[in-house]
Amino acid sequence: VDPSPTPTPTPTPTVTITAACNHDYEWDVEREPTETEDGEAVYKCTKCGHISARQPLTAYQYYVLESTNKIKNAKAGSTVTISSKHWNSFPKSFFEQVAKRRDITVNIQFPYAQKMYEITISPTQKVDTSNSKVKYYGPKNLIGTYNAVEVKAK
């Protein structure tokens, strides 16, 4: 009888080698915001799922993101309606996307001074985003530039 203990073999670690990914990142909503809680957006590779950045996503940011995507993904010849009872301004990037899509009509409904307004941007209407000092387009700009009309609440 050998009194010395038998050594336990050490398991060999498994190493997985994968080909390097030529990352293609885009922002994705990982957790949607609500009226009372922020969500989270991630900058995620569409090929391998690697996340390189995270950032809070407020309800306003989400509204702008969803509105911009509606414009971006609309079928040619369609009318895109964007409506909110809470938000009434858009960043320049939103209107830059509208300017790229001169094959659709955009209808925006928004509140201002306890009234609801509506603008319609037709495919033939000029959308000017050339002023580098303008970062946001607020309700007064929308009303004046796009001849907003007051609409009755539905």
Side-chain angles (χ1 to χ4, degrees):
V1 174
D2 183 6
S4 61
T6 307
T8 306
T10 306
T12 306
T14 304
V15 177
T16 304
I17 300 175
T18 57
C21 181
N22 185 14
H23 295 303
D24 179 25
Y25 289 101
E26 66 179 33
W27 283 103
D28 187 29
V29 176
E30 188 166 87
R31 189 177 73 240
E32 290 189 20
T34 67
E35 288 187 36
T36 58
E37 191 174 315
D38 284 350
E40 184 175 55
V42 292
Y43 201 52
K44 187 176 187 177
C45 177
T46 60
K47 297 175 184 176
C48 73
H50 178 262
I51 296 173
S52 71
R54 295 179 178 274
Q55 78 172 37
L57 183 61
T58 67
Y60 173 72
Q61 289 169 320
Y62 186 67
Y63 170 70
V64 170
L65 175 66
E66 288 295 301
S67 297
T68 303
N69 285 340
K70 280 184 177 182
I71 302 298
K72 189 177 185 179
N73 300 323
K75 291 183 181 179
S78 66
T79 297
V80 176
T81 299
I82 296 167
S83 182
S84 175
K85 293 181 180 177
H86 303 285
W87 309 112
N88 64 10
S89 65
F90 293 88
K92 184 178 194 172
S93 60
F94 171 82
F95 280 96
E96 288 171 339
Q97 187 62 48
V98 173
K100 289 179 187 175
R101 292 299 313 269
R102 301 321 307 141
D103 60 339
I104 62 172
T105 299
V106 179
N107 180 276
I108 304 172
Q109 300 164 351
F110 59 93
Y112 180 65
Q114 280 104 38
K115 297 178 182 177
M116 285 297 290
Y117 289 90
E118 181 175 84
I119 63 171
T120 299
I121 304 172
S122 71
T124 58
Q125 190 167 1
K126 181 176 169 62
V127 178
D128 184 5
T129 60
S130 63
N131 186 339
S132 63
K133 293 181 181 179
V134 174
K135 304 293 183 212
Y136 281 87
Y137 296 80
K140 287 184 180 180
N141 179 285
L142 298 177
I143 290 168
T145 303
Y146 298 104
N147 302 317
V149 296
E150 184 180 343
V151 293
K152 299 295 178 198
K154 296 176 182 178

